[in-house]
Tab-separated table of all heavy atoms in Angstrom:
chain	number	residue	atom	x	y	z
A	54	THR	N	337.854	127.673	-59.347
A	54	THR	CA	336.990	127.508	-60.511
A	54	THR	C	335.534	127.760	-60.151
A	54	THR	O	335.015	127.196	-59.195
A	54	THR	CB	337.125	126.084	-61.085
A	54	THR	OG1	338.505	125.841	-61.366
A	54	THR	CG2	336.323	125.941	-62.369
A	55	LYS	N	334.883	128.600	-60.922
A	55	LYS	CA	333.481	128.920	-60.681
A	55	LYS	C	332.582	127.888	-61.360
A	55	LYS	O	332.840	127.475	-62.483
A	55	LYS	CB	333.167	130.319	-61.228
A	55	LYS	CG	331.737	130.788	-60.964
A	55	LYS	CD	331.536	132.180	-61.524
A	55	LYS	CE	330.106	132.661	-61.277
A	55	LYS	NZ	329.884	134.010	-61.854
A	56	ASP	N	331.543	127.457	-60.644
A	56	ASP	CA	330.581	126.494	-61.186
A	56	ASP	C	331.289	125.254	-61.737
A	56	ASP	O	331.086	124.855	-62.883
A	56	ASP	CB	329.737	127.140	-62.291
A	56	ASP	CG	328.968	128.349	-61.782
A	56	ASP	OD1	328.531	128.328	-60.622
A	56	ASP	OD2	328.811	129.308	-62.548
A	57	LYS	N	332.125	124.650	-60.903
A	57	LYS	CA	332.895	123.482	-61.335
A	57	LYS	C	331.988	122.252	-61.308
A	57	LYS	O	331.754	121.652	-60.269
A	57	LYS	CB	334.102	123.272	-60.423
A	57	LYS	CG	335.031	122.165	-60.897
A	57	LYS	CD	336.323	122.163	-60.101
A	57	LYS	CE	337.276	121.104	-60.640
A	57	LYS	NZ	338.585	121.151	-59.986
A	58	THR	N	331.476	121.891	-62.463
A	58	THR	CA	330.550	120.768	-62.566
A	58	THR	C	331.291	119.465	-62.806
A	58	THR	O	332.448	119.451	-63.235
A	58	THR	CB	329.560	120.990	-63.718
A	58	THR	OG1	330.297	121.015	-64.953
A	58	THR	CG2	328.808	122.303	-63.553
A	59	LEU	N	330.604	118.349	-62.557
A	59	LEU	CA	331.200	117.047	-62.819
A	59	LEU	C	331.482	116.877	-64.303
A	59	LEU	O	332.489	116.300	-64.700
A	59	LEU	CB	330.272	115.936	-62.314
A	59	LEU	CG	330.790	114.513	-62.452
A	59	LEU	CD1	332.096	114.330	-61.693
A	59	LEU	CD2	329.752	113.511	-61.953
A	60	ASP	N	330.596	117.390	-65.151
A	60	ASP	CA	330.778	117.288	-66.599
A	60	ASP	C	332.049	117.984	-67.080
A	60	ASP	O	332.586	117.647	-68.135
A	60	ASP	CB	329.571	117.869	-67.338
A	60	ASP	CG	328.396	116.903	-67.343
A	60	ASP	OD1	328.634	115.682	-67.325
A	60	ASP	OD2	327.255	117.372	-67.348
A	61	SER	N	332.525	118.960	-66.307
A	61	SER	CA	333.717	119.703	-66.735
A	61	SER	C	334.996	118.893	-66.550
A	61	SER	O	336.031	119.228	-67.118
A	61	SER	CB	333.822	121.023	-65.964
A	61	SER	OG	334.147	120.793	-64.601
A	62	ILE	N	334.934	117.823	-65.752
A	62	ILE	CA	336.130	117.013	-65.518
A	62	ILE	C	335.901	115.530	-65.769
A	62	ILE	O	336.851	114.742	-65.716
A	62	ILE	CB	336.638	117.176	-64.069
A	62	ILE	CG1	335.537	116.838	-63.056
A	62	ILE	CG2	337.174	118.569	-63.845
A	62	ILE	CD1	336.010	116.828	-61.617
A	63	PHE	N	334.667	115.146	-66.082
A	63	PHE	CA	334.321	113.731	-66.077
A	63	PHE	C	333.216	113.498	-67.092
A	63	PHE	O	332.205	114.193	-67.066
A	63	PHE	CB	333.837	113.388	-64.660
A	63	PHE	CG	333.672	111.925	-64.363
A	63	PHE	CD1	334.735	111.184	-63.887
A	63	PHE	CD2	332.446	111.308	-64.492
A	63	PHE	CE1	334.580	109.850	-63.547
A	63	PHE	CE2	332.276	109.980	-64.167
A	63	PHE	CZ	333.352	109.247	-63.687
A	64	ASN	N	333.399	112.558	-68.004
A	64	ASN	CA	332.384	112.248	-69.006
A	64	ASN	C	331.402	111.240	-68.408
A	64	ASN	O	331.647	110.031	-68.395
A	64	ASN	CB	333.033	111.686	-70.272
A	64	ASN	CG	332.045	111.600	-71.417
A	64	ASN	OD1	330.873	111.288	-71.229
A	64	ASN	ND2	332.521	111.884	-72.620
A	65	VAL	N	330.286	111.760	-67.886
A	65	VAL	CA	329.318	110.918	-67.190
A	65	VAL	C	328.729	109.856	-68.119
A	65	VAL	O	328.481	108.717	-67.709
A	65	VAL	CB	328.192	111.780	-66.584
A	65	VAL	CG1	327.163	110.905	-65.880
A	65	VAL	CG2	328.775	112.799	-65.605
A	66	GLU	N	328.527	110.195	-69.380
A	66	GLU	CA	327.930	109.244	-70.320
A	66	GLU	C	328.779	107.988	-70.470
A	66	GLU	O	328.254	106.892	-70.675
A	66	GLU	CB	327.751	109.912	-71.695
A	66	GLU	CG	326.681	110.989	-71.722
A	66	GLU	CD	325.297	110.419	-71.406
A	66	GLU	OE1	324.983	109.328	-71.897
A	66	GLU	OE2	324.547	111.074	-70.668
A	67	MET	N	330.094	108.126	-70.364
A	67	MET	CA	330.996	106.994	-70.593
A	67	MET	C	331.031	105.998	-69.435
A	67	MET	O	331.591	104.918	-69.546
A	67	MET	CB	332.408	107.498	-70.891
A	67	MET	CG	332.532	108.221	-72.223
A	67	MET	SD	334.242	108.623	-72.624
A	67	MET	CE	334.913	106.995	-72.986
A	68	VAL	N	330.429	106.377	-68.283
A	68	VAL	CA	330.494	105.470	-67.133
A	68	VAL	C	329.135	104.883	-66.761
A	68	VAL	O	329.030	104.156	-65.784
A	68	VAL	CB	331.080	106.180	-65.893
A	68	VAL	CG1	332.491	106.632	-66.162
A	68	VAL	CG2	330.208	107.332	-65.448
A	69	LYS	N	328.115	105.176	-67.541
A	69	LYS	CA	326.783	104.690	-67.191
A	69	LYS	C	326.702	103.169	-67.144
A	69	LYS	O	325.912	102.604	-66.384
A	69	LYS	CB	325.754	105.248	-68.179
A	69	LYS	CG	325.410	106.711	-67.923
A	69	LYS	CD	324.249	107.172	-68.787
A	69	LYS	CE	323.837	108.582	-68.430
A	69	LYS	NZ	322.701	109.059	-69.253
A	70	GLU	N	327.511	102.494	-67.971
A	70	GLU	CA	327.477	101.038	-67.990
A	70	GLU	C	328.514	100.413	-67.061
A	70	GLU	O	328.613	99.197	-66.971
A	70	GLU	CB	327.717	100.536	-69.426
A	70	GLU	CG	326.721	101.060	-70.439
A	70	GLU	CD	325.281	100.736	-70.050
A	70	GLU	OE1	325.034	99.602	-69.589
A	70	GLU	OE2	324.408	101.616	-70.196
A	71	LYS	N	329.282	101.244	-66.374
A	71	LYS	CA	330.309	100.708	-65.487
A	71	LYS	C	329.775	100.559	-64.066
A	71	LYS	O	328.840	101.249	-63.662
A	71	LYS	CB	331.548	101.622	-65.493
A	71	LYS	CG	332.275	101.634	-66.833
A	71	LYS	CD	333.547	102.450	-66.758
A	71	LYS	CE	334.285	102.429	-68.099
A	71	LYS	NZ	334.793	101.078	-68.412
A	72	SER	N	330.397	99.667	-63.316
A	72	SER	CA	329.997	99.457	-61.929
A	72	SER	C	330.588	100.556	-61.048
A	72	SER	O	331.507	101.282	-61.451
A	72	SER	CB	330.485	98.099	-61.436
A	72	SER	OG	331.907	98.086	-61.340
A	73	ALA	N	330.060	100.660	-59.832
A	73	ALA	CA	330.571	101.645	-58.882
A	73	ALA	C	332.053	101.404	-58.604
A	73	ALA	O	332.841	102.356	-58.499
A	73	ALA	CB	329.765	101.597	-57.591
A	74	GLU	N	332.451	100.143	-58.497
A	74	GLU	CA	333.844	99.825	-58.218
A	74	GLU	C	334.749	100.235	-59.376
A	74	GLU	O	335.862	100.749	-59.165
A	74	GLU	CB	334.004	98.325	-57.944
A	74	GLU	CG	335.409	97.908	-57.548
A	74	GLU	CD	335.896	98.594	-56.292
A	74	GLU	OE1	335.073	98.912	-55.402
A	74	GLU	OE2	337.125	98.827	-56.202
A	75	GLU	N	334.288	100.045	-60.606
A	75	GLU	CA	335.079	100.451	-61.777
A	75	GLU	C	335.230	101.974	-61.825
A	75	GLU	O	336.311	102.504	-62.121
A	75	GLU	CB	334.409	99.953	-63.055
A	75	GLU	CG	334.516	98.461	-63.271
A	75	GLU	CD	333.727	97.984	-64.479
A	75	GLU	OE1	332.594	98.468	-64.694
A	75	GLU	OE2	334.245	97.123	-65.217
A	76	ILE	N	334.140	102.672	-61.529
A	76	ILE	CA	334.194	104.139	-61.517
A	76	ILE	C	335.157	104.616	-60.429
A	76	ILE	O	335.954	105.538	-60.641
A	76	ILE	CB	332.789	104.731	-61.294
A	76	ILE	CG1	331.883	104.367	-62.463
A	76	ILE	CG2	332.869	106.245	-61.133
A	76	ILE	CD1	330.421	104.728	-62.244
A	77	LYS	N	335.083	103.978	-59.274
A	77	LYS	CA	335.983	104.330	-58.167
A	77	LYS	C	337.438	104.159	-58.579
A	77	LYS	O	338.277	105.029	-58.324
A	77	LYS	CB	335.665	103.467	-56.954
A	77	LYS	CG	336.572	103.725	-55.757
A	77	LYS	CD	336.185	102.842	-54.587
A	77	LYS	CE	337.112	103.072	-53.399
A	77	LYS	NZ	336.731	102.221	-52.240
A	78	GLN	N	337.753	103.040	-59.238
A	78	GLN	CA	339.132	102.780	-59.657
A	78	GLN	C	339.601	103.826	-60.663
A	78	GLN	O	340.741	104.316	-60.596
A	78	GLN	CB	339.237	101.376	-60.250
A	78	GLN	CG	339.078	100.264	-59.219
A	78	GLN	CD	339.098	98.881	-59.848
A	78	GLN	OE1	339.204	98.741	-61.063
A	78	GLN	NE2	339.000	97.854	-59.015
A	79	ILE	N	338.742	104.167	-61.613
A	79	ILE	CA	339.108	105.154	-62.635
A	79	ILE	C	339.324	106.529	-62.003
A	79	ILE	O	340.301	107.226	-62.297
A	79	ILE	CB	338.019	105.229	-63.722
A	79	ILE	CG1	337.985	103.913	-64.508
A	79	ILE	CG2	338.270	106.402	-64.662
A	79	ILE	CD1	336.806	103.793	-65.449
A	80	TRP	N	338.409	106.914	-61.121
A	80	TRP	CA	338.494	108.223	-60.446
A	80	TRP	C	339.784	108.316	-59.633
A	80	TRP	O	340.532	109.297	-59.730
A	80	TRP	CB	337.278	108.400	-59.543
A	80	TRP	CG	337.143	109.744	-58.883
A	80	TRP	CD1	337.496	110.070	-57.611
A	80	TRP	CD2	336.583	110.937	-59.457
A	80	TRP	NE1	337.201	111.379	-57.348
A	80	TRP	CE2	336.633	111.945	-58.458
A	80	TRP	CE3	336.039	111.236	-60.700
A	80	TRP	CZ2	336.167	113.230	-58.678
A	80	TRP	CZ3	335.573	112.531	-60.922
A	80	TRP	CH2	335.633	113.509	-59.925
A	81	ASN	N	340.057	107.284	-58.852
A	81	ASN	CA	341.251	107.292	-58.008
A	81	ASN	C	342.531	107.261	-58.840
A	81	ASN	O	343.507	107.945	-58.523
A	81	ASN	CB	341.236	106.101	-57.049
A	81	ASN	CG	340.187	106.244	-55.959
A	81	ASN	OD1	339.694	107.344	-55.702
A	81	ASN	ND2	339.845	105.145	-55.315
A	82	GLN	N	342.522	106.477	-59.923
A	82	GLN	CA	343.715	106.387	-60.760
A	82	GLN	C	343.981	107.708	-61.474
A	82	GLN	O	345.132	108.135	-61.596
A	82	GLN	CB	343.559	105.260	-61.777
A	82	GLN	CG	344.829	104.980	-62.571
A	82	GLN	CD	344.743	103.681	-63.358
A	82	GLN	OE1	343.675	103.097	-63.484
A	82	GLN	NE2	345.859	103.232	-63.888
A	83	TYR	N	342.930	108.356	-61.919
A	83	TYR	CA	343.085	109.625	-62.627
A	83	TYR	C	343.693	110.698	-61.724
A	83	TYR	O	344.613	111.421	-62.112
A	83	TYR	CB	341.730	110.086	-63.159
A	83	TYR	CG	341.763	111.464	-63.781
A	83	TYR	CD1	342.381	111.677	-64.998
A	83	TYR	CD2	341.171	112.549	-63.142
A	83	TYR	CE1	342.429	112.944	-65.567
A	83	TYR	CE2	341.195	113.814	-63.702
A	83	TYR	CZ	341.824	113.998	-64.916
A	83	TYR	OH	341.872	115.244	-65.471
A	84	PHE	N	343.187	110.784	-60.477
A	84	PHE	CA	343.636	111.857	-59.588
A	84	PHE	C	344.895	111.504	-58.804
A	84	PHE	O	345.491	112.393	-58.192
A	84	PHE	CB	342.510	112.254	-58.621
A	84	PHE	CG	341.462	113.117	-59.251
A	84	PHE	CD1	340.231	112.596	-59.579
A	84	PHE	CD2	341.717	114.452	-59.533
A	84	PHE	CE1	339.251	113.387	-60.180
A	84	PHE	CE2	340.762	115.249	-60.125
A	84	PHE	CZ	339.522	114.718	-60.453
A	85	SER	N	345.308	110.242	-58.810
A	85	SER	CA	346.462	109.845	-58.010
A	85	SER	C	347.755	110.522	-58.467
A	85	SER	O	348.680	110.690	-57.665
A	85	SER	CB	346.632	108.321	-58.050
A	85	SER	OG	346.917	107.882	-59.369
A	86	ALA	N	347.823	110.912	-59.729
A	86	ALA	CA	349.024	111.583	-60.243
A	86	ALA	C	348.905	113.103	-60.183
A	86	ALA	O	349.777	113.807	-60.671
A	86	ALA	CB	349.288	111.147	-61.685
Side-chain angles (χ1 to χ4, degrees):
T54 305
K55 183 179 180 182
D56 301 325
K57 186 170 183 175
T58 64
L59 183 59
D60 282 330
S61 70
I62 56 174
F63 191 88
N64 191 323
V65 179
E66 290 297 319
M67 292 187 71
V68 298
K69 284 188 175 180
E70 302 304 318
K71 293 185 179 293
S72 68
E74 184 60 31
E75 288 175 319
I76 296 171
K77 178 179 179 179
Q78 290 176 359
I79 293 171
W80 186 261
N81 289 342
Q82 187 168 12
Y83 174 72
F84 282 105
S85 64

